[in-house]
Amino acid sequence: MPIIFDPNSRTFKLDTPHTSYVIEIIDGDYIIHRYFGAKIPDTDLTYMHFSRNIGSFFPNSPDTGIALGTQLMEYPTHGIGDFRASALMIRGVDGTATTDIRYISHRIYKGKPVLEGLPATYASENEAETLEIDAEDTHTGAVVTLVYTAFSCHDAITRSVRVKNASDKPFVLERIMSGGVDMPSSEYDLIHLWGHWAKERTPERTRLHHGKQSIESLRMSSGHQHNPFVALVSPDTNEDKGDAYGFNLVYSSSFVIEAEVDSFGATRLIAGINPTDFSWKLGAGETFTSPELVMVYSSEGIGEMSRTFHRLYTNNLCCRQWKGIKRPILVNNWEGTYFDFDDEKLISIARDAADLGIEMLVLDDGWFGTNRNNDDCDLGDWFVNEKKIRCGMKELSRQIHELGLKFGLWFEPEMISPISKLYDEHPDWCLHVDGRKCSPARRQYVLDYSRADVRDYIIDCMSSLIEEADIEYVKWDFNRNMTEIGSAILSPEQQKELTHRYVLGLYEVMQRLLDKFPNLLIEGCSGGGGRFDAGILYYAPQIWTSDDTDAIERIDIQYGTSYVYPASAMSAHLSASPNHQTWRDTSFETRGIVAMGGNFGYELDLNKLTEAERDAVRKQIADYNKYQKLVQEGDLYRLISPFKNRLHSAWEYVSPDKSEALLTFVVMRREIYSRYYFIKLRGLDPEKMYRSSEDGRVYSGALLMNGGVSMVRDFKDGDSIIVHFTEVK
Ligand code: GLA
């Protein structure tokens, strides 16, 4: 039983295979947080109760005398004496915002509910149990339901919140967080993933300090700058040992994650929709559902925290049609041709692709509108440019399919160019504020996805092309963030709902397309990896990781991304050398080895490959087909961080049954004397014997993990090696 309720102590205990989470209802029906951490057998944690009465600056509950500002609250609310960051603030018709929720009832059931209109992890009745705690704010008539799901197959607990207006008067949600945890200590480091365009998800680790540390987005997108993820880890936690708590929002719009250390040394971690410029009016009988927060605890360091996220997202989040299914190896023409292509050029690339064993051609930006020869115009005009695709999209697709390839197409469905037919016809379809100028970015504006007519238009355009040209894959791009956030159809009081309404509209469009085309593969993209989040993964099981395709830079980016997201979520392509973003030369082999850490593909002009490179492509494709399952379904061990000394990086995938492992080692920069290097593998069975694909010798798992694999040889800058270990019985 993953979830139990002990009526004597009025305690809920949620268990996953190795973790426990405990909530207690105390006098006054306040909902108190008791414990989150390694699994414990005890249910009754009432001994942890304390009541501090420490003076007039910590007001007491009028019902119990407890100062709520000293307690570990399960879902803290505004205005009742807990002066830390609140999770919920409701403004009633009387204009006040004091919010006071008290327990009224609960339910425990098998499985996991769907979050209406929102992406979320999913689970069968055997995989999880759910607890719903109802609480009430009698003054406004809000019924607040805290929803917790404990997975029985992963060390993960998810949270979300529903608020129902059970009164006959409206009220306004001014702040509604998905959840978080109050911890009785502040002895933690905070890890988060920062970045910018072409440098996404760089891990940063800092000590918690008194006051607030927060990461957030106000971009109406999760953004390149901060991923909606943080970890709280003990100061001595590393990849292999120590406490690691991971928190990740399943959400793609403006978010905030705050860690606040109070004056007693307790830490509050709270995450949800960014309350800046957000509110939501709930009329009588209406309900609002928050996005989902995923919480993972590992006592075995950051590595096991990441592997838990990987398993959970691979099996219970990423677009379910694609669960366990290998995605096609593709060639994308973007860095190969940019806007300079026509149907003949595409067919000649497709011919080479088919000859080399590539499985899909993706036609990137520039195929639509009338003048899309640069990024100045035509977004929104999703009809084929017959000056470039002279034979028409249907015929181009037929020829590509005839070569045995699948066919994919780039769209940027949320955008509109001011120079476009669509803008001429519907200037009010973009986000804008009457009387203010729109700020262009890449010379484009953003469509107002809170509008049903806009959503229908986009679905119609995309559906007719997908149908007509038999499109199997869509690269869904999104190349700017929002400004002048306003909608022509929302009332003044609803304008603050737009950041959330927009993303609900986006999720609806993706879902309707998938309902219509269940075999469609959507790849997310946002100027590279600017919207790489768990919300998008629910619809698009893979996301373009970064516009930086330099293999050495990609090691950093893929390393940081792997803190949360599995290899199967990252798209990674081999591109030309010197690289178009950094002008660095890297060997064909290393470019391939790094790209094999995700969904593999090519992003160059295949017509320009030499014979030797063509042979290398054939070998890479054979290798990728051999290792793809191990990489994408195996356990990742990050062995040498690229950030450690900028000299080397190494990582390893181990199959779930520990019968094989794949080691990748890259020399990012060679020192004058190459070092003696023995890389200790991890995650193997010490009792098993493994044969190395490199020297053919058989080693015990114990030796490979304790003595290590020899990397003593004359490596040069950018050299790399991949070694496969297979069990010998
Ligand atoms: C973005 C994407 C690229 C490419 C271009 C096309 O930058 O990240 O991969 O599709 O747009 O304009």
Side-chain angles (χ1 to χ4, degrees):
M1 287 279 282
I3 303 181
I4 51 171
F5 175 63
D6 171 16
N8 296 325
S9 57
R10 299 221 294 169
T11 299
F12 299 97
K13 179 159 174 267
L14 293 77
D15 282 337
T16 68
H18 306 98
T19 69
S20 295
Y21 188 98
V22 181
I23 303 162
E24 189 186 313
I25 312 297
I26 62 164
D27 286 353
D29 294 327
Y30 291 110
I31 309 168
I32 297 294
H33 178 73
R34 283 284 177 243
Y35 178 81
F36 182 29
K39 194 164 190 167
I40 50 170
D42 320 69
T43 303
D44 182 350
L45 303 191
T46 46
Y47 80 97
M48 287 184 169
H49 180 76
F50 61 91
S51 169
R52 280 187 177 138
N53 197 334
I54 43 173
S56 61
F57 291 95
F58 283 87
N60 299 326
S61 153
D63 300 325
T64 65
I66 291 175
L68 296 173
T70 66
Q71 300 293 306
L72 303 182
M73 304 300 290
E74 190 53 38
Y75 195 67
T77 58
H78 174 79
I80 53 168
D82 179 344
F83 298 104
R84 298 161 290 183
S86 66
L88 186 66
M89 182 161 113
I90 300 176
R91 199 169 292 279
V93 275
D94 62 2
T96 64
T98 296
T99 308
D100 183 2
I101 60 167
R102 311 289 183 101
Y103 167 85
I104 45 175
S105 60
H106 71 268
R107 295 164 292 287
I108 295 171
Y109 56 89
K110 286 186 183 304
K112 183 171 191 297
V114 168
L115 300 192
E116 205 49 50
L118 283 163
T121 54
Y122 58 88
S124 68
E125 296 212 334
N126 302 326
E127 288 176 310
E129 266 186 22
T130 295
L131 162 68
E132 299 195 353
I133 301 178
D134 295 328
E136 192 180 15
D137 176 37
T138 47
H139 189 75
T140 55
V143 175
V144 179
T145 303
L146 309 181
V147 185
Y148 302 81
T149 296
F151 281 82
S152 52
C153 44
H154 308 292
D155 285 312
I157 292 173
T158 61
R159 294 190 59 171
S160 66
V161 178
R162 280 195 311 270
V163 177
K164 181 172 179 183
N165 184 347
S167 79
D168 54 3
K169 297 181 199 68
F171 58 70
V172 177
L173 299 172
E174 295 204 338
R175 191 176 162 91
I176 174 162
M177 294 288 125
S178 299
V181 183
D182 276 7
M183 322 260 243
S185 159
S186 55
E187 291 290 299
Y188 296 108
D189 293 348
L190 182 140
I191 299 176
H192 75 118
L193 304 171
W194 70 276
H196 52 69
W197 176 77
K199 186 184 174 57
E200 295 89 342
R201 290 169 298 285
T202 311
E204 184 168 58
R205 182 169 175 163
T206 49
R207 275 312 291 276
L208 283 185
H209 53 68
H210 285 98
K212 282 182 188 155
Q213 266 163 274
S214 86
I215 61 148
E216 65 176 331
S217 161
L218 286 169
R219 298 166 177 273
M220 282 176 69
S221 157
S222 42
H224 294 86
Q225 285 67 19
H226 298 286
N227 199 260
F229 159 81
V230 304
L232 292 182
V233 304
S234 299
D236 58 352
T237 292
N238 61 24
E239 277 292 319
D240 300 315
K241 39 182 204 329
D243 291 333
Y245 295 87
F247 302 88
N248 188 215
L249 280 166
V250 186
Y251 194 53
S252 316
S253 189
S254 301
F255 71 90
V256 67
I257 307 182
E258 283 178 341
E260 179 176 5
V261 176
D262 70 15
S263 46
F264 305 112
T267 304
R268 170 164 296 168
L269 188 294
I270 207 160
I273 296 174
N274 197 320
T276 303
D277 200 20
F278 164 83
S279 68
W280 194 278
K281 185 174 174 193
L282 271 190
E286 290 178 349
T287 298
F288 181 89
T289 304
S290 82
E292 178 162 282
L293 174 67
V294 179
M295 309 191 302
V296 164
Y297 166 75
S298 149
S299 61
E300 291 168 34
I302 303 163
E304 187 56 23
M305 176 202 75
S306 298
R307 289 186 287 278
T308 301
F309 275 116
H310 297 173
R311 290 183 206 114
L312 176 71
Y313 287 179
T314 303
N315 294 302
N316 299 83
L317 174 80
C318 291
C319 183
R320 64 185 98 188
Q321 286 94 315
W322 289 94
K323 182 168 152 178
I325 295 180
K326 178 177 173 287
R327 326 276 166 65
I329 300 173
L330 61 85
V331 58
N332 177 306
N333 73 309
W334 178 241
E335 288 194 20
T337 67
Y338 294 103
F339 291 102
D340 186 15
F341 60 82
D342 60 15
D343 44 4
E344 278 172 25
K345 177 68 186 170
L346 294 168
I347 289 297
S348 75
I349 294 176
R351 266 198 213 101
D352 274 338
D355 179 50
L356 294 168
I358 292 170
E359 296 159 339
M360 178 161 73
L361 175 89
V362 175
L363 171 51
D364 211 280
D365 195 352
W367 57 264
F368 52 90
T370 40
N371 289 307
R372 184 82 178 169
N373 298 313
N374 52 40
D375 53 22
D376 280 356
C377 59
D378 290 350
L379 292 168
D381 295 348
W382 300 114
F383 47 85
V384 180
N385 179 345
E386 294 194 346
K387 283 185 265 173
K388 284 178 162 181
I389 313 292
R390 287 162 301 211
C391 62
M393 198 59 94
K394 188 172 176 178
E395 174 56 17
L396 178 68
S397 168
R398 192 194 63 73
Q399 292 185 36
I400 288 168
H401 283 116
E402 205 172 66
L403 289 164
L405 298 180
K406 294 184 189 308
F407 185 35
L409 215 49
W410 179 96
F411 287 88
E412 202 177 350
E414 297 154 77
M415 297 293 158
I416 179 166
S417 303
I419 305 172
S420 65
K421 276 180 71 161
L422 187 65
Y423 190 77
D424 290 344
E425 284 162 20
H426 299 285
D428 61 337
W429 273 16
C430 66
L431 296 177
H432 67 282
V433 176
D434 273 344
R436 293 186 189 276
K437 286 185 186 165
C438 285
S439 308
R442 213 193 190 205
R443 290 161 295 285
Q444 61 199 52
Y445 302 155
V446 186
L447 282 171
D448 178 0
Y449 264 43
S450 73
R451 296 178 66 128
D453 49 1
V454 169
R455 301 197 295 270
D456 290 346
Y457 168 80
I458 289 297
I459 290 173
D460 284 351
C461 289
M462 292 180 76
S463 300
S464 46
L465 263 157
I466 292 170
E467 239 153 35
E468 183 200 313
D470 200 2
I471 304 297
E472 282 126 331
Y473 157 113
V474 162
K475 180 172 170 187
W476 188 298
D477 212 340
F478 171 83
N479 277 312
R480 65 159 293 174
N481 293 141
M482 284 66 148
T483 52
E484 292 81 32
I485 297 168
S487 166
I489 58 155
L490 294 179
S491 65
E493 58 183 359
Q494 282 182 311
Q495 294 291 345
K496 284 179 91 176
E497 299 177 3
L498 187 50
T499 53
H500 189 59
R501 284 188 183 274
Y502 179 93
V503 80
L504 292 180
L506 169 65
Y507 294 148
E508 182 202 300
V509 171
M510 287 185 162
Q511 189 58 58
R512 279 168 63 189
L513 278 173
L514 288 171
D515 290 345
K516 232 170 157 174
F517 306 102
N519 298 323
L520 184 69
L521 173 60
I522 303 180
E523 173 162 318
C525 179
S526 170
R531 197 165 59 181
F532 202 120
D533 61 61
I536 295 295
L537 285 173
Y538 182 79
Y539 309 95
Q542 60 192 58
I543 300 177
W544 183 226
T545 314
S546 177
D547 274 345
D548 190 341
T549 57
D550 176 306
I552 300 299
E553 296 280 300
R554 265 302 182 103
I555 293 174
D556 295 354
I557 297 167
Q558 291 173 199
Y559 182 94
T561 305
S562 79
Y563 269 48
V564 194
Y565 307 102
S568 64
M570 298 186 225
S571 289
H573 300 166
L574 183 156
S575 63
S577 184
N579 179 268
H580 290 195
Q581 291 80 34
T582 62
W583 303 108
R584 191 195 324 256
D585 261 316
T586 310
S587 71
F588 206 84
E589 195 188 10
T590 297
R591 281 179 274 152
I593 279 178
V594 173
M596 281 189 210
N599 286 294
F600 187 57
Y602 293 86
E603 180 120 359
L604 39 64
D605 186 350
L606 295 176
N607 299 158
K608 294 186 180 150
L609 293 181
T610 63
E611 264 323 302
E613 286 171 337
R614 293 173 71 86
D615 288 345
V617 170
R618 290 196 182 91
K619 176 165 183 321
Q620 283 169 345
I621 289 176
D623 282 351
Y624 179 71
N625 284 333
K626 187 164 152 198
Y627 301 135
Q628 175 270 336
K629 209 174 160 55
L630 173 56
V631 170
Q632 298 194 359
E633 291 173 24
D635 287 331
L636 170 72
Y637 291 83
R638 292 178 290 253
L639 303 181
I640 304 175
S641 164
F643 301 103
K644 191 177 160 203
N645 55 19
R646 313 303 288 161
L647 294 174
H648 311 108
S649 184
W651 58 95
E652 177 201 7
Y653 308 95
V654 181
S655 62
D657 66 358
K658 298 184 185 296
S659 66
E660 55 174 332
L662 190 71
L663 166 68
T664 306
F665 176 70
V666 183
V667 178
M668 299 166 74
R669 183 170 60 81
R670 187 206 144 104
E671 290 180 296
I672 183 73
Y673 298 116
S674 60
R675 292 188 179 195
Y676 286 93
Y677 230 104
F678 294 88
I679 300 181
K680 294 180 184 178
L681 299 190
R682 294 212 279 273
L684 300 179
D685 182 340
E687 307 286 323
K688 285 189 167 143
M689 303 301 289
Y690 297 89
R691 188 182 304 283
S692 155
S693 65
E694 210 215 348
D695 60 13
R697 284 184 56 170
V698 173
Y699 303 90
S700 69
L703 179 60
L704 293 170
M705 290 194 289
N706 293 299
V709 180
S710 170
M711 287 291 141
V712 182
R713 69 205 73 190
D714 215 9
F715 283 122
K716 295 189 291 304
D717 266 11
D719 277 354
S720 59
I721 184 167
I722 200 161
V723 190
H724 188 206
F725 294 89
T726 40
E727 184 185 354
V728 179
K729 296 222 168 135

